[in-house]
Amino acid sequence: MHHFQVTKPVQPSEYISITLVLSRLLERHIIKSYIYPTLHQPPPPGLCFSDQFAFRPTGSTTAALIALLHTDCSELSTNSYMQVCALDFSKAFNTVRHATQMEKMVHLPIPDQVYNWIKDFFHGHSHCTKFAGSISELTDILASVI
């Protein structure tokens, strides 16, 4: 049996940083082992990934630009002009409601225990703000990245 001697008290912030590292490692494993492989398959009925470039193993800004350029060139081959409206959704994931995300994920061919782990991961988180000695009420986090 090993005995450990603590030389200084462990601060809560040290627990948080360790938890974040372990959580990120587990998250990366789940994504690479279960989520990415499902995105390589044809999507289930009702889901379309053809215009999805972010958060995909083969997606990138370059792939999105190539697809846009291909679409533009195709349109210009039959039309003398066209209009393009470009929007930056770089923070769009921060507005995705967890319930909506889970409704779509339920259709992916991932094991039930992985789906349940992801659902539990997004459930039951809350937030409060402390400013100038005052603390706000807890508010449930229903969207965004935890």
Side-chain angles (χ1 to χ4, degrees):
M1 182 189 297
H2 297 285
H3 295 281
F4 296 98
Q5 181 178 7
V6 177
T7 57
K8 68 172 188 146
V10 177
Q11 299 299 318
S13 62
E14 293 173 4
Y15 287 122
I16 292 169
S17 65
I18 292 171
T19 303
L20 290 175
V21 169
L22 295 175
S23 178
R24 289 285 185 192
L25 288 172
L26 182 58
E27 178 184 325
R28 189 169 291 149
H29 170 72
I30 295 291
I31 289 170
K32 286 184 178 181
S33 300
Y34 299 102
I35 304 301
Y36 279 175
T38 64
L39 297 177
H40 281 296
Q41 302 171 9
L47 294 181
C48 177
F49 300 133
S50 63
D51 60 351
Q52 176 69 38
F53 295 97
F55 305 106
R56 294 197 66 189
T58 57
S60 66
T61 304
T62 303
L65 290 172
I66 290 170
L68 178 64
L69 183 61
H70 174 73
T71 302
D72 292 349
C73 290
S74 297
E75 286 294 318
L76 288 173
S77 69
T78 57
N79 299 302
S80 58
Y81 72 94
M82 59 183 245
Q83 295 179 355
V84 175
C85 178
L87 302 172
D88 180 6
F89 290 110
S90 60
K91 298 290 183 187
F93 186 74
N94 292 342
T95 62
V96 174
R97 299 189 75 59
H98 298 156
T100 303
Q101 181 178 357
M102 297 314 298
E103 286 172 14
K104 292 182 184 287
M105 287 189 103
V106 76
H107 299 289
L108 296 177
I110 57 176
D112 289 344
Q113 64 269 24
V114 172
Y115 171 82
N116 291 333
W117 180 84
I118 294 169
K119 187 174 179 180
D120 287 344
F121 179 81
F122 283 111
H123 179 73
H125 292 275
S126 56
H127 170 81
C128 70
T129 302
K130 181 177 180 181
F131 179 73
S134 298
I135 300 176
S136 69
E137 292 184 23
L138 284 175
T139 302
D140 291 336
I141 299 174
L142 304 175
S144 182
V145 179
I146 296 176

